């Protein structure tokens, strides 16, 4: 009910991962015959996560928790802006090396180092 109240009816769901934890520390282990499943839901501007615990034998859900409810989907504008800038620097260096190679300068190897 809280998911529909915060996000609306038109949601996209995607499976993130399923895990079982076994180890010597029994407090971190999953219960016997259970699997923890993480599902992400989005509504174009926000996203959230659901953690569900399934019974392996019957396939029924034993427990559901909402994690990180109502987080904003980050903008990719700065990522692409800095990515283009990062690609322009090596492209400029390669362009300058080609210009030096084609020129009639003496001591070209010194210009390459500069």
């Amino acid at each position: 009910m809280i998911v529909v109240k915060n996000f609306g009816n038109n949601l996209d769901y995607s499976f993130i991962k399923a895990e079982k934890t076994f180890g010597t520390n029994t407090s971190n282990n999953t219960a016997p015959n259970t699997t923890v499943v993480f599902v992400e839901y989005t509504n174009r501007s926000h996203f959230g996560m659901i953690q569900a615990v399934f019974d392996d034998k019957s396939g029924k859900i034993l427990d559901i928790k909402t994690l990180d409810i109502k987080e904003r989907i980050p903008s990719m504008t700065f990522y692409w802006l800095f990515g283009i800038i990062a690609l322009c620097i090596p492209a400029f260096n390669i362009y300058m090396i080609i210009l030096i190679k084609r020129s009639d300068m003496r001591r070209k190897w010194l210009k390459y180092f500069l």
Side-chain angles (χ1 to χ4, degrees):
M1 186 67 169
I2 192 166
V3 174
V4 173
K5 183 179 175 184
N6 286 329
F7 290 90
N9 291 330
N10 297 332
L11 296 175
D12 296 324
Y13 297 95
S14 59
F15 173 79
I16 301 297
K17 70 176 181 174
E19 66 180 24
K20 289 185 178 195
T21 308
F22 301 104
T24 56
N25 187 358
T26 57
S27 64
N28 293 335
N29 293 346
T30 55
N33 299 322
T34 60
T35 303
V36 179
V37 176
F38 294 93
V39 177
E40 180 185 69
Y41 51 91
T42 61
N43 70 348
R44 307 270 188 235
S45 63
H46 292 82
F47 73 95
M49 294 271 292
I50 294 175
Q51 175 186 357
V53 179
F54 282 91
D55 184 14
D56 292 338
K57 293 181 181 177
S58 66
K60 294 182 179 180
I61 297 174
L62 301 176
D63 184 36
I64 293 180
K65 294 179 187 174
T66 55
L67 307 173
D68 295 333
I69 191 126
K70 197 95 177 199
E71 288 291 324
R72 186 161 201 69
I73 295 175
S75 174
M76 295 293 288
T77 305
F78 289 115
Y79 171 78
W80 289 110
L81 178 68
F82 289 120
I84 290 172
I85 291 171
L87 290 175
C88 287
I89 293 170
F92 177 75
N93 288 336
I94 291 169
Y95 174 71
M96 291 309 293
I97 289 172
I98 290 170
L99 285 181
I100 292 171
K101 185 176 181 182
R102 290 181 183 169
S103 70
D104 294 337
M105 290 186 211
R106 297 180 323 178
R107 298 185 188 170
K108 286 185 184 181
W109 58 271
L110 186 61
K111 303 294 182 189
Y112 286 135
F113 287 126
L114 291 177

